[in-house]
Amino acid sequence: MSISKTYLPKETEDKWYSYWLKHDFFKSVPDEREPYTIVIPPPNVTGVLHMGHMLNNTIQDVLVRRARMKGKNACWVPGTDHASIATEAKVVAMLKERGISKKDLTRPEFLAYAWEWKEKYGGIILEQLKKLGASCDWDRTKFTMDEDLSEAVIDTFIHLHKKGLIYRGVRMVNWDPQGKTAVSDEEVIRKEVNQKLYYIKYSVAGDGLPVAGEEVSSVADEATGNTQHATHNYLTIATTRPETIMADAAICINPNDERYLHLHGKTVFIPLINREIPVILDEYVTMDFGTGCLKVTPAHDLNDYELGQKHNLPVIDILNDDGTLNEKAQILVGEDRFAARKKIAVLLDEAGALTKVEDYKSQIGFSERTDAVIEPKLSMQWFCKMSEMAKPALDYVLNGEVKLIPEKFINTYRHWMENVRDWNISRQLWWGQQIPAWYLPNGEFVIAKNIEEALEEAKLKTKNPQLTIQDLAQDPDVVDTWFSSWLWPISVFNGFKDPENADINYYYPTNDLVTAPEILFFWVARMIMAGHEFRGQAPFKNVYLTGIVRDKLGRKMSKSLGNSPDPLDLIEQYGADGVRVGMLLCSPAGNDLMFDVSYCEQGRNFANKIWNAFKLIKGWEVDASLANPNEIAIEWFGSRFNQALGEIEDNFAQYRLSEALMATYKLVWDDFCAWYLEMIKPVYLQPIDKVTYTTTVQYFENILKVLHPFMPFLTEELWHDELLGERAEKDCCIVAQLPNIGEINTQLISEVEIVQIVLTQIRNIRNTKQISPKEALELSYKSNSGVNYQQYQAIISKLGNISQFSEVDDKVIGAVNFIASTDEFFIPLSQNLDPVAECARLGKEKEYLLGFLKSVNAKLGNERFMSNAKPEVIEIEQRKRADAEAKLNIIEQNLIDLAC
RNA sequence: GGGAGUUUAGCUCAGCUGGUUCAGAGCAUCUGCCUUACAAGCAGAGGGUCACUGGUUCGAACCCAGUAACUCCCA
C-alpha cells in the first residue's frame, strides 16, 4: 500500500468528524466523573465565521479536548444569540427585497418573517464551527430566544423589578436615527472624522440690541495669540453642531476665566431665533479649548445634559426620532440634521453671526449596524440599576474566585465596576423578548409574566375590577440582547425554571470562559452579576481573554477593510489542523495577534512532518532475532518526553496555550524526528529490532495523544492505522487518556545535550571545510568532565558518520579540534590546517574567556556580593569560574602547540 | 480629558522571586545539500546599546522616577 507523500486533510476531516458524532464522543451527561464545562460565547445568529471566532473556538476546543483526555466529563455547550438589532436589520433588508416594508406589518407578522429568516439562515456559523473540529455537545445547542430562555428573561425582569433594580426613566441614550432605536454603547463605533468647527456670536443682553452687523472690536492678545472673544456686545462660542443652537439652554464659562468676568450674571440671545438664555459658571469648561465659551445643549449632548441637570436648565429637544428638526427648533423645521447644519451656517453667515469656520478632527459615534451617526437623545427607557449588583461581582474578581487571564484586566475591570452606570435595557425593536410591562388607561403600568396576570395586577392596583384585557397595552419595546446573554451560563442548563435540576447542579459553575476583552464589561461582568444574583455563585472560575485578530499591518480584521481571510478558505487550503496550529502559534493570551497566513503554512508543514514520521516508522520491517542497539536512545527519548510533558502541563496550567503548543512542536520536530528517529533509524532497507520498533510505536502513540487537542483530525487518522494495532470501534484518540509523567533521567538528558553539541560541531566542521556528509571521519576525545562518551559511541558514529571513535590521553597534534562542555575533541584531516586562521579563532575565544573570567572574578572578589548573594548563586559563580579556567587552559595549550 | 497597557533579533513573541557563559524560541534571511520519511525537507550560520535618560543595588531586560512612541478602554 502506498502512502501519500504529504498529509491530505480533506480525506480525513469530514470522515472523523462524523465518526466522533456517530459515537457520541462530544455528548455529556452528568455522571460520577469531575465535570469540565465551557459555555460558548454565543455568536450572533446572523454571523458567519470570522477569524475572531476561529481563534476563540480553537482555544475552547483545545481546552475541552484536553479535559476530556484527562478523564473529565467534558461538556461544551454551543448556541447562538438572537442579536436583536443585527437580526432585525437583516430581516428588514430581506423584506425590502421582497417589496415589503416593516411599517406595513403587524408585530406578529413581522416576527413570523423573522423566525422564517432565522430557521433558514440562522446558525450557519455553528455548521462552520464543525469544520474547525469543534467538539461541542450539539444536542445541547441553545438559542437565546428559545422558549425557556425567553421565559428566564421575563422572569428575571420581573424579579429585578420587584427588587427595585429595574426602573423606567428619561435618560440620554445612543439613538440611531436610521434604525430608530436606542443602541447599546458597544454597538456604537467611534471613528475619527474631519469636521468643521463653527464660531458663532451670541449677543449679550443689556449691552445693546442683538442687531447684526454692529461694529465689534476684537482684542487680540499679542503675547498669547488668544483672541478675546467677548466684547461688550457679543461672545463667541465654537461648535461642531450649529444646527443645535436652537436647543441651547445656557452658555457656560469657567468662573476663573478672567477674559469673561464681565459676563457673570448676564444673559445672551441665541442668534436667528433671539431666545434669551443665561450665562452660567462651571469649572467643567476648559478655558483653552475653542473660545472658552461653551454652548450648553442638554437635549443633544451627554455632558451638556449632566451640566444642565446640575444647573437646573430646561431640556429642549429639537430633533425628531428620524433625525429631522421639529417645530421646537422654530427654523428649518423638517430638515434633516445634516442638511440643517449646512443651511444654518449660511443663515448665520447672512446674519453676521458666523465669525469663522475651522477644520477640526474629532471622534464621532456611528451605529454599528446602520452606520448612521449616533445622536445622543433623551428618551423614556427601562434601566437596570448596577451599583448594588456590581459590588459582589467586583469582589469575585478581586478575591480571585474568578480569575481573569491575563491578570492585567483586573485593574480595568475594577475601574469599570467602580464607575458603573445604570444599564439601558430597552430597545425599540420587535425581535427579542418584549418587555413585560402593561400600561393602563391612567398611564400607570404593571409588570407581569403575561397579560392575564397583568390584568389581575391592574385590577388590584387600580381597585377597578371592571378592567379588561383591552384596557391594557404592552410596552412595544424588547430588552437588550445582553439582557438574555447575561443569563447564558445558567439558562443553558435550565437553571431558572428548574433551579435544582441535575444538569445545573453538576455543570454549574462552569470552568473556563473564553472571550474577547471588548466584552469584558458588557457580557462577562454582567454574567458574574447574574450568577451571583440568581445562583449565589460566579458562573465560571477562569476567564481567558483572547486578543483581537489583526492583520500583518496591525489593522483590525474587518469586512469593510476586506483584510480578513475567509476561515473556511484557510481550512480548505491548509487543513483544519494547520489553521488551528496557525491560530495558536500567534496568540498570546490577552494580547492582540498579528495574523498572517504564514502561520497556517507553518501549521500545515507541521502536520506534514508528523505524517512523514509516521511513514518512516510504518515502512520498517521487524527482525525479531536482532538485538536492541538503541537502549540509550530509547531511554533518552523516554526521559525527554516526560520532561516535555511536564512543561506542557505547566503551560496549560497557566493558560499559555501558544507556549504549550510550541513545547509540543519542538518535542515532535526536534527531539522525536530530528534526533530520536535519526538515532534509531536502521540503514535503508535493513530491518529493525523488535524492542526498538515496539517502543517507537508506543512513543508515537503517546505523541499523538499529546498532539490531539491541537490537531484532532490528523491524530485521529493516524491513531487508527494498523501500525498502532487493532482498534475497537470506540478506541479513539479523542477519548484516549493522556500519558502520565514518568521518570526523568536528567543526567542522561544533559549528557545527550553535550553529545548534540559534539554532533553540531562535527557538522559545522564538515560545512566549513566542505566535507561531504558521506565521507566518514575519525574522532577522538580527551575527557576532562568525566562524561563516559563510550556509551554514546553508537549515536555519535551514526549521526556524525564517524568511522573511528576513540579516547586519547593527549591532544592530537595537527587535528581540527573543538571543545564541548570542558572536553576536547579532535578530527584529523587529510588537508592541512590553516595555522593563521586557527590562531585567530583561538585568540578570539581566549579573549572572550578572559573577559568573562574577569567579570566572574569581580563578583567573587567583591565582599558585598559574597555576603549578600544567596549561597547557590555563589556556587554557580564558582562553577562558572572553574569551567572558564579549564577551557582557558585548553586554549592556551593549543595556542602554544600551534606556536601562535 | 481620565484610566490601563505595550516598547526585547527583519517579523511574532518568551524571559517567573533582580543573579547559570555579557538575552531565548518560532518564522523569515544567508550558505551548503534533490543524503530513499519529509525540498511543505536536511545540515550549518548570521542577526539584539532589551525605546531613551537618570536612580536604587555588589549586581538591572526585570525595581523606582522621568521622557518619547504606539495600542486599547472610558468620556
Side-chain angles (χ1 to χ4, degrees), chain A residues 97-108:
Chain A
E97 264 177 40
R98 297 194 202 168
I100 305 169
S101 168
K102 180 186 165 191
K103 64 178 191 294
D104 297 334
L105 296 176
T106 64
R107 188 176 190 122

Side-chain angles (χ1 to χ4, degrees), chain A residues 5 53 156 203 220 226 239 247 302 390 434 455 501 567 587 650 750 805 817:
Chain A
K5 208 171 164 186
H53 296 123
T156 306
S203 60
N226 283 339
T239 179
L302 182 58
Q434 194 171 356
L455 184 62
N501 78 72
S587 56
D650 195 49
S750 53
F805 183 67
N817 61 82

Side-chain angles (χ1 to χ4, degrees), chain A residues 32-79:
Chain A
E32 71 292 339
R33 287 175 297 167
E34 187 188 333
Y36 175 84
T37 319
I38 293 185
V39 292
I40 204 169
N44 284 359
V45 70
T46 58
V48 286
L49 199 67
H50 60 60
M51 295 306 288
H53 296 123
M54 202 72 176
L55 170 68
N56 186 261
N57 289 290
T58 298
I59 292 168
Q60 291 177 73
D61 196 48
V62 168
L63 294 173
V64 165
R65 283 179 186 269
R66 191 172 157 84
R68 199 179 281 124
M69 294 178 80
K70 290 185 96 174
K72 295 185 184 162
N73 184 348
C75 181
W76 183 10
V77 183

Side-chain angles (χ1 to χ4, degrees), chain A residues 380-603:
Chain A
M380 184 65 90
Q381 302 282 346
W382 291 91
F383 289 86
C384 185
K385 267 189 206 164
M386 288 280 100
S387 51
E388 253 171 69
M389 283 194 273
K391 178 77 178 77
L394 175 58
D395 289 343
Y396 280 115
V397 170
L398 292 185
N399 68 24
E401 271 180 77
V402 172
K403 274 170 64 184
L404 302 186
I405 300 145
E407 286 178 351
K408 68 177 181 185
F409 286 107
I410 294 174
N411 281 338
T412 326
Y413 182 83
R414 176 175 38 209
H415 187 254
W416 192 77
M417 293 302 260
E418 284 172 350
N419 298 286
V420 66
R421 306 165 78 101
D422 286 354
W423 173 16
N424 171 215
I425 54 170
S426 45
R427 295 290 180 274
Q428 291 63 52
L429 299 165
W430 282 351
W431 178 244
Q433 291 91 4
Q434 194 171 356
I435 287 173
W438 277 265
Y439 298 99
L440 312 180
N442 65 3
E444 286 185 276
F445 63 85
V446 291
I447 302 291
K449 191 159 180 154
N450 50 47
I451 194 158
E452 290 79 20
E453 287 179 21
L455 184 62
E456 292 310 308
E457 281 277 322
K459 285 178 182 170
L460 280 176
K461 190 163 189 173
T462 57
K463 300 192 179 78
N464 175 5
Q466 309 304 321
L467 278 181
T468 66
I469 280 175
Q470 276 70 42
D471 294 320
L472 302 180
Q474 189 175 1
D475 192 307
D477 291 356
V478 296
V479 291
D480 181 12
T481 305
W482 297 105
F483 198 82
S484 55
S485 37
W486 75 322
L487 309 176
W488 187 247
I490 305 173
S491 60
V492 295
F493 298 116
N494 200 22
F496 285 95
K497 201 168 183 184
D498 186 3
E500 288 301 321
N501 78 72
D503 273 3
I504 188 105
N505 283 335
Y506 183 71
Y507 294 114
Y508 189 95
T510 68
N511 296 73
D512 297 334
L513 179 81
V514 181
T515 192
E518 337 171 74
I519 54 174
L520 181 57
F521 310 128
F522 308 116
W523 192 47
V524 179
R526 284 170 186 162
M527 277 193 286
I528 300 176
M529 291 180 195
H532 179 77
E533 178 71 26
F534 300 107
R535 302 280 317 167
Q537 244 179 329
F540 28 71
K541 298 182 191 93
N542 302 293
V543 181
Y544 180 101
L545 296 152
T546 65
I548 295 165
V549 183
R550 298 175 178 279
D551 67 9
K552 235 177 157 177
L553 302 171
R555 298 172 307 178
K556 194 171 168 174
M557 286 197 170
S558 70
K559 246 194 237 163
S560 52
L561 270 175
N563 60 347
S564 176
D566 180 343
L568 295 180
D569 288 348
L570 288 177
I571 289 176
E572 179 77 17
Q573 206 177 342
Y574 299 103
D577 291 334
V579 178
R580 290 166 68 110
V581 167
M583 291 304 317
L584 287 176
L585 278 175
C586 58
S587 56
N591 279 344
D592 290 356
L593 52 111
M594 310 297 164
F595 179 81
D596 186 77
V597 288
S598 64
Y599 289 107
C600 294
E601 210 172 296
Q602 196 182 345

